[in-house]
Amino acid sequence: VVAQDVTTPEAEASETAEPADATLDNPTITSEKALSPRLKSVRFIAGLFWASPSGLQRRCAATIITSNTLVTSAVCAKSNYPASKYGQGGWRIVTGAEERYMQTPPNSVQAYVVKNVDIDECSNIAIIQIEGNISFGGSLMPVFISSHPVSQASTMYTFKTSDPSGNSFLGVTQGVTAACDPYLPGYTDSNFMCTQPILGQTVTDDYLGGDPIIGFSTQPDGPLAVLVGITGLYYSTLEDAQHAISNDATAYRFNAIVAAHVTHIATIAGVSAESLVSTGDLG
């Protein structure tokens, strides 16, 4: 199921209500908290903001794939909730080192206008296209998408952008299919990766997902950190999973596998799929 979200007033009026998990905000940095140095130094994370007459309001992270194309979770990019809460407006992308994590950055911050959001609700991924191009170099670079399958029990990492002042770099482990499937039957057919906490791992407690999940490539002449997934929703009980309303921080989490969408991302970005991927094994 693929929908186009161009954040026009007509589109706002026609949208249906989101599940309960989507009517919440991810908590983000305030002026009283110091930003984690690790998050400040990450070069491929931007912020997805809702722009309305009242200013900019942060919704989620967005991961930079090309100079004009980013990805996040579909739940993050649905516009009916922020429009109802903050007023009619549209999406913006902010790339400033600290401003991308602020709930309400200053009005002077540089923000890129989002001209289209391609939403795949079935796989909980959204492909964002901006007007103009992000200038790369120094603190901003795109990330390559891993084309290599992630083995079960492999450890990957995600960035906790919902609380960027704390422990911002967290390990996540892919769950065993037989254990994950009862919570979201047939999840592999929808290109989801299931992660579950193991002993010693801290679980992110955000509601909406949208953060990048990375692995480390063993390709000698390729990029080290590569994009594997985008964090999604938590499910706890079978009943809640059926209605996508549960966000239990101790439960299995179902995340979009970005490699499954490379061709579509490349088409939107106007580049070849091969230019977006890293083929190295994951360490």
Side-chain angles (χ1 to χ4, degrees), residues 29-37 39 98 163-166:
I29 192 171
T30 65
S31 58
E32 291 77 23
K33 293 184 177 182
L35 176 63
S36 158
L39 272 182
E98 294 191 12
D163 183 12
S165 62

Side-chain angles (χ1 to χ4, degrees), residues 158-241:
T158 190
F159 297 88
K160 187 179 180 181
T161 66
S162 62
D163 183 12
S165 62
N167 183 11
S168 59
F169 193 58
L170 306 175
V172 292
T173 300
Q174 181 163 214
V176 178
T177 304
C180 294
D181 198 67
Y183 290 90
L184 189 62
Y187 72 93
T188 56
D189 296 332
S190 297
N191 297 312
F192 282 120
M193 170 176 58
C194 170
T195 55
Q196 62 182 119
I198 63 172
L199 186 64
Q201 287 184 348
T202 302
V203 180
T204 58
D205 56 1
D206 64 283
Y207 301 112
L208 301 174
D211 292 323
I213 299 174
I214 65 166
F216 290 99
S217 172
T218 59
Q219 186 176 348
D221 56 348
L224 178 60
V226 291
L227 182 64
V228 177
I230 298 294
T231 58
L233 299 175
Y234 287 110
Y235 292 142
S236 55
T237 67
L238 289 173
E239 180 180 357
D240 286 346

Side-chain angles (χ1 to χ4, degrees), residues 16-26 59 75-76 78 80-81 121 206-208 233-235 240-248:
T16 57
E18 293 178 339
D21 53 70
T23 60
L24 298 167
D25 288 315
N26 279 339
R59 184 66 165 160
V75 175
C76 285
K78 294 184 70 176
N80 54 329
Y81 172 67
E121 294 187 69
D206 64 283
Y207 301 112
L208 301 174
L233 299 175
Y234 287 110
Y235 292 142
D240 286 346
Q242 300 298 324
H243 299 91
I245 62 173
S246 178
N247 285 288
D248 181 352

